[in-house]
Amino acid sequence: MSNKKTISVNVLMDTECNHLLNESSKRNSRTKRHEAAARLKDHLLRFGGSWEEKQRN
């Protein structure tokens, strides 16, 4: 993360997503917090405000 002003966001997730985030952070040698921030930033820059959640079975 850069020296830009940042904010903190708390996120609730299920155990499956938590596991995926943990594994991803290990693979990328980042803390879980930095992995979540990188993924959220990437998603927002790709999709902006036009994304809709798909229903999961």
Side-chain angles (χ1 to χ4, degrees):
M1 301 197 125
S2 67
N3 291 332
K4 294 181 182 179
K5 184 177 178 181
T6 60
I7 62 160
S8 176
V9 176
N10 292 318
V11 178
L12 298 176
M13 65 177 64
D14 60 24
T15 55
E16 178 185 5
C17 289
N18 184 50
H19 174 74
L20 292 170
L21 185 60
N22 279 326
E23 292 300 310
S24 180
S25 69
K26 290 175 189 174
R27 268 194 316 276
N28 293 307
S29 300
R30 293 192 274 239
T31 64
K32 189 171 161 182
R33 179 181 214 164
H34 285 123
E35 184 68 18
R39 286 176 166 263
L40 180 57
K41 182 177 181 177
D42 177 69
H43 181 86
L44 291 170
L45 292 174
R46 285 179 194 231
F47 300 102
S50 63
W51 181 81
E52 291 184 26
E53 184 176 6
K54 294 181 181 175
Q55 294 295 324
R56 296 177 77 187
N57 295 331

